Amino acid sequence: MAKTKPGKKDLDSYTIKGTNKVVRPGDCVLMRPSDSDKPPYVARVEKIEADHRNNVKVRVRWYYRPEESIGGRRQFHGAKELFLSDHYDVQSAHTIEGKCIVHSFKNYTKLENVGAEDYFCRFEYKAATGGFTPDRVAVYCKCEMPYNPDDLMVQCEGCKDWFHPSCMGMTIEEAKKLDQFLCSDCSSEDDAKRSLNAFPVSPSLEAKVEAKRRKR
C-alpha cells in the first residue's frame, strides 16, 4: 500500500459497516445525507485512506440529481438520472449506506428491469456555472425534447422519428396496442400518395381523344 502523508495510508477497499458489501475506488455509493428526509447522496469513490487511528475517509466525486442543479429538474430528465459533477469532497466512510450502479444512458435504456440501485448518467455538470457536457443532445417528437427513458415513445414507420403518445393525441394504452404507427406528417403524405395513385392528375390520352370525338 502506497503511503500518502505521514500517518495516512491508501486502502484498496472498505467494507460498509453492518454489511458484507465491499467498496473499492471507482465504485459508486449511496451516502447518508445530513437531512434524513432527503434521498441518499450518490458519489463515485476516487480514493480510500485511513489515518493512524484507523479512521477511514473516502475522496468522492459527487453526482447531482437534476433538482440539485442550477437549472433544476426538467421534463426530459429521468427519475433515476444523475449528473457527474466536478465537485470533489472528502467524507467519512461511515456515511456510506450502500452501493449502486450508475449506467451509461445507452446501457440503462437496455435494462429489462430497473432496480433501486440502478441510475444513469448522460451529462457531466459544472457545479459553479451550471454548465453541461455535452451541451446539446438529440431531440424527438413534435415537442422537440430529449429522450426521457421513463416515457413510452412510439416510432413512426415513415420518418423513423420517435413520438410521445400524448403529443399525438393518444393514450399510452392506445399506443401499446398499435401494430404500426405513422405520425401526422407521414400519414398526410401517405394519404396524398394514395390520392395520386387513385386519381390521375392529368387526363389520359384516351380521355382527350374521347372528348374530341364528342365535340364533333
Side-chain angles (χ1 to χ4, degrees), residues 22-85:
V22 177
V23 174
R24 293 182 173 84
D27 287 347
C28 294
V29 294
L30 302 168
M31 305 193 79
R32 186 168 57 251
S34 52
D35 184 347
S36 59
D37 292 335
K38 287 186 176 180
Y41 296 129
V42 182
R44 189 170 76 191
V45 175
E46 302 289 313
K47 190 177 182 181
I48 307 170
E49 62 181 28
D51 63 17
H52 65 285
R53 293 180 181 172
N54 220 28
N55 293 317
V56 182
K57 301 266 187 184
V58 285
R59 178 172 163 78
V60 298
R61 186 176 179 182
W62 293 114
Y63 282 97
Y64 279 45
R65 286 184 168 82
E67 53 269 25
E68 295 164 347
S69 68
I70 291 172
R73 179 171 286 280
R74 298 181 62 189
Q75 182 184 335
F76 63 87
H77 290 143
K80 304 301 290 288
E81 184 157 7
L82 302 170
F83 310 142
L84 181 61
S85 78

Side-chain angles (χ1 to χ4, degrees), residues 75 140-143 147-148 150-156 161-178 181-184:
Q75 182 184 335
Y140 302 92
C141 190
K142 289 197 305 183
C143 62
Y147 177 45
N148 180 341
D150 299 335
D151 293 340
L152 174 74
M153 296 188 86
V154 290
Q155 188 178 34
C156 173
D161 199 358
W162 291 84
F163 295 85
H164 299 111
S166 58
C167 293
M168 295 286 103
M170 284 186 289
T171 64
I172 289 173
E173 289 69 29
E174 288 169 340
K176 285 179 178 176
K177 291 175 184 173
L178 289 174
F181 165 71
L182 282 175
C183 70
S184 51

Side-chain angles (χ1 to χ4, degrees), residues 120-140:
F120 74 90
C121 176
R122 57 179 154 179
F123 297 108
E124 289 195 16
Y125 175 69
K126 291 192 179 298
T129 63
F132 289 97
T133 305
D135 62 353
R136 292 176 184 274
V137 289
V139 295
Y140 302 92

Side-chain angles (χ1 to χ4, degrees), residues 90-105:
V90 175
Q91 294 283 316
S92 168
H94 290 307
T95 61
I96 299 175
E97 291 186 328
K99 292 176 71 175
C100 62
I101 305 166
V102 181
H103 301 270
S104 69
F105 181 63

